[in-house]
Amino acid sequence: MDQAPDGAWRDQQAAGLGALLKQAMVHGAVSLRELSRLSGISAASLSRIISGKQRVKRRHLELFSRHLQIPMEQLLRSAGAIDHLREPDSMEALGELLRLFGFDIRTIRPEVSRELIKCEQYAKTPAGEKMILEQFAAKIASTNGVGAVIDKLNELYEAFCAAKMDAEKRAIVGGCLLYFILPTSVIPDCLFPIGFLDDAIAVGITAERVGGMQKERG
C-alpha cells in the first residue's frame, strides 16, 4: 500500500482532494464502483485516496480529471501540489511534489548542480553577463510568478548588479540567474505546475554555496 506521509501533505490531501472528488462524483452521479471501472483504479485504492490514507499519484489525478471533468489545476491545488511551490526551502516538500510527477529529487539535484557549474562559467564571460542584464527582467515577467522563489531570484539579481560583490561569489550567483534564463532546464518550464521547481533547487544550492563561502571567510 502506498501510504501518505504524515503532516501537512496528508491533511491537505484528505480535506481538499477527498472533498473535491466526492463533490464531483455526486455532481456527475458517478459511484465509486463506476469511477473504478472508468479509471482502472481499484475501488479500494479510490477509497483510500479519498480518505487520505493513500498517496495520490500524477496518473490518478489525470484519470480523475478525465472522468470527473475536474480541471487539472484544481486537482493539483486540492492535493496540495501547487501550495508546495511556495515552499522552495523545504527539500522534503519539493521531493513530495517531484515524486508526484515521476521525478526523483535524488537525481535532479545533482543534475541541477552540474548545469549550475556550466552556467557559472558562462556568467564569467561578457556574453553571459549581458544575457543576465538584458533578459532576466523579461524572464521574470514571463512566469507571472510570485512567492519565495521569485523573491529569491530578484534578490540574487540585485546582488549580481551590486558593485561590491566579489568576482567568485558573483559568478555563482550569475550561474543561478543564467540557469533560470536559459531554456535548457532539467525540468522543462512548460511542465505545469512543476516547471520551475528545478529553479527553486538551483536557488537553494546557490544559497548554500554562497553561505558556505561567507562562513569560511568569517
Side-chain angles (χ1 to χ4, degrees):
M1 183 186 302
D2 199 2
Q3 296 293 334
D6 293 332
W9 175 274
R10 179 172 180 173
D11 292 340
Q12 288 174 344
Q13 180 177 313
L17 181 61
L20 177 63
L21 293 176
K22 287 179 182 178
Q23 183 180 25
M25 290 168 68
V26 170
H27 180 74
V30 178
S31 67
L32 190 70
R33 181 176 296 180
E34 178 67 6
L35 181 58
S36 175
R37 185 187 68 79
L38 291 169
S39 66
I41 305 171
S42 71
S45 290
L46 286 173
S47 179
R48 289 194 295 270
I49 289 171
I50 291 171
S51 64
K53 295 178 181 178
Q54 178 173 329
R55 181 188 295 138
V56 68
K57 297 180 179 179
R58 179 180 60 176
R59 66 178 182 84
H60 295 149
L61 297 181
E62 291 172 345
L63 289 167
F64 295 151
S65 179
R66 183 187 311 160
H67 297 296
L68 294 177
Q69 304 301 307
I70 306 173
M72 191 65 175
E73 181 176 356
Q74 188 175 1
L75 284 164
L76 287 163
R77 192 174 299 281
S78 296
I82 292 179
D83 289 340
H84 281 349
L85 290 173
R86 301 173 183 173
E87 304 174 10
D89 295 328
S90 171
M91 296 310 296
E92 182 179 353
L94 286 175
E96 287 295 334
L97 184 51
L98 288 167
R99 278 192 290 274
L100 181 65
F101 280 80
F103 291 94
D104 188 341
I105 196 171
R106 293 171 297 180
T107 58
I108 287 179
R109 185 178 169 88
E111 289 180 40
V112 172
S113 294
R114 287 192 291 270
E115 291 301 319
L116 282 173
I117 292 173
K118 296 177 186 176
C119 291
E120 180 181 334
Q121 297 306 311
Y122 188 43
K124 295 177 181 179
T125 68
E129 180 176 3
K130 182 180 180 182
M131 178 177 287
I132 293 169
L133 297 176
E134 293 183 354
Q135 298 186 27
F136 175 77
K139 183 60 183 284
I140 285 286
S142 72
T143 67
N144 294 317
V146 295
V149 176
I150 299 301
D151 290 344
K152 290 289 187 182
L153 285 166
N154 281 320
E155 288 175 13
L156 290 174
Y157 180 72
E158 291 176 6
F160 182 84
C161 294
K164 63 181 180 180
M165 176 170 275
D166 67 66
E168 185 179 359
K169 191 182 298 183
R170 191 169 189 265
I172 293 173
V173 169
C176 183
L177 297 174
L178 282 173
Y179 182 89
F180 171 65
I181 293 168
L182 291 167
T184 53
S185 298
V186 175
I187 302 175
D189 291 348
C190 62
L191 188 56
F192 178 84
I194 66 168
F196 292 99
L197 279 181
D198 56 330
D199 296 287
I201 293 172
V203 167
I205 293 171
T206 300
E208 290 172 6
R209 292 185 65 194
V210 171
M213 290 175 60
Q214 291 173 340
K215 288 181 180 179
E216 289 176 5
R217 297 174 182 180

